[in-house]
Amino acid sequence: MKLVFLGPPGSGKGTYASRLSPLLSIPHISTGDIFRDNMARKTPLGKKVEKYLKRGGLVPDDIVIEVVKERISQKDCRNGFIFDGFPRTAEQAIALDRITKLDMVLNLNLSEDIIIKKMSARRVCGKCGQIYNIADIRLGKFRFPPILPKKEGACDKCGGKLMQRKDDTIGVIKDRLEVYKKQTKPLIDYYKKKSILRDVNVIGPPEVMVPIILKTIGKQ
Ligand code: ADP
Ligand code: ZN
């Protein structure tokens, strides 16, 4: 199955994709994780993309498309994949259509005030990218309890140190939301026209959302 998670930064794309990946036995591909990993290892790609990530702007399409092409040509993608954070522009969506045929695009909906609260409280493992959250958000029907590691400051999966992403600060978060509205939101119409878009309202923690998403994709 070839899936894409679409939605504003902080809507939970990464968390849901990483939890669905083992359930569907297909890899989770996050272009953001690929870029951060390359930055940490100071590879040529990492050096090239660093300035865009720091500002919250988008990495140029040709670089992103090249990275994705290479990634999905790998063996583990033969039965499909879950994209999170790609495509982010019309250009990228068109390029993806040329390489492969998507089964479904899940569009995550979440209000901006909750997004800002969630993102400011997001923590990630510096080693494996696992996502945690220290906020306890309750607003009307919305409920986002904290996602804490068993041992404070350390990743459950690999023991890596938890940190705050440099772009998860209020200023950069707002810039990223603006970039989303201008560049990525138009993709909702693009995929609607292809009749592969499904809306998912994000109302609670992964335990609540993962079964809803599985149902939406017809896997439960
Ligand atoms: P979030 O969804 O929380 O914004 P990501 O990890 O998906 O975080 O992306 C982090 C940053 O990586 C983006 O702000 C952007 O600079 C860069 N990036 C990731 N994916 C893409 C993409 N498909 N196109 C352009 N830039 C990207
Ligand atoms: Zn980890």
Side-chain angles (χ1 to χ4, degrees):
M1 190 169 224
K2 295 170 180 172
L3 294 175
V4 164
F5 273 110
L6 207 62
S11 54
K13 301 186 295 289
T15 304
Y16 303 140
S18 73
R19 299 213 184 191
L20 284 169
S21 163
L23 301 176
L24 302 173
S25 306
I26 46 179
H28 162 210
I29 304 174
S30 156
T31 40
D33 281 349
I34 295 174
F35 295 143
R36 278 186 293 278
D37 171 58
N38 277 273
M39 278 162 56
R41 292 187 290 117
K42 301 197 189 323
T43 66
L45 173 68
K47 283 179 192 156
K48 245 195 276 181
V49 302
E50 192 157 26
K51 57 175 187 259
Y52 304 105
L53 275 92
K54 279 205 172 125
R55 282 201 309 256
L58 293 185
V59 172
D61 288 329
D62 54 335
I63 300 179
V64 184
I65 292 163
E66 212 37 59
V67 164
V68 167
K69 260 192 191 156
E70 200 279 320
R71 181 63 188 87
I72 64 176
S73 70
Q74 287 170 29
K75 235 192 186 159
D76 63 334
C77 292
R78 65 188 177 279
N79 293 325
F81 44 74
I82 310 173
F83 274 130
D84 138 37
F86 175 89
R88 252 176 160 96
T89 64
E91 194 71 28
Q92 292 177 18
I94 292 164
L96 182 61
D97 280 343
R98 287 201 195 105
I99 342 176
T100 191
K101 192 171 179 295
L102 293 173
D103 292 299
M104 211 179 277
V105 176
L106 295 156
N107 179 39
L108 300 179
N109 292 309
L110 187 58
S111 79
E112 213 164 277
D113 51 334
I114 296 185
I115 283 176
I116 294 173
K117 283 201 179 82
K118 274 182 78 204
M119 281 170 93
S120 316
R122 170 157 72 182
R123 297 294 179 268
V124 293
C125 170
K127 241 185 180 171
C128 78
Q130 180 74 14
I131 303 163
Y132 299 87
N133 205 294
I134 58 172
D136 191 358
I137 303 167
R138 285 153 212 275
L139 256 175
K141 65 173 177 171
F142 299 101
R143 204 174 53 83
F144 297 103
I147 303 174
L148 300 171
K150 290 192 183 80
K151 186 171 161 251
E152 202 186 322
C155 176
D156 289 346
K157 270 194 175 165
C158 75
K161 201 174 154 199
L162 302 192
M163 30 193 235
Q164 186 164 26
R165 265 169 54 178
K166 285 201 182 70
D167 58 351
D168 278 348
T169 55
I170 192 75
V172 186
I173 290 171
K174 286 194 170 152
D175 288 344
R176 284 157 64 206
L177 286 168
E178 282 313 305
V179 170
Y180 170 75
K181 277 184 217 160
K182 272 206 202 104
Q183 313 248 60
T184 310
K185 231 179 169 180
L187 293 185
I188 294 174
D189 275 332
Y190 179 87
Y191 288 123
K192 233 182 219 166
K193 282 192 188 124
K194 292 185 178 285
S195 309
I196 55 171
L197 191 92
R198 301 285 180 280
D199 277 300
V200 177
N201 292 320
V202 177
I203 49 161
E207 299 76 62
V208 171
M209 294 311 300
V210 168
I212 293 177
I213 295 169
L214 283 172
K215 212 172 166 188
T216 307
I217 61 175
K219 292 282 176 185
Q220 215 170 53

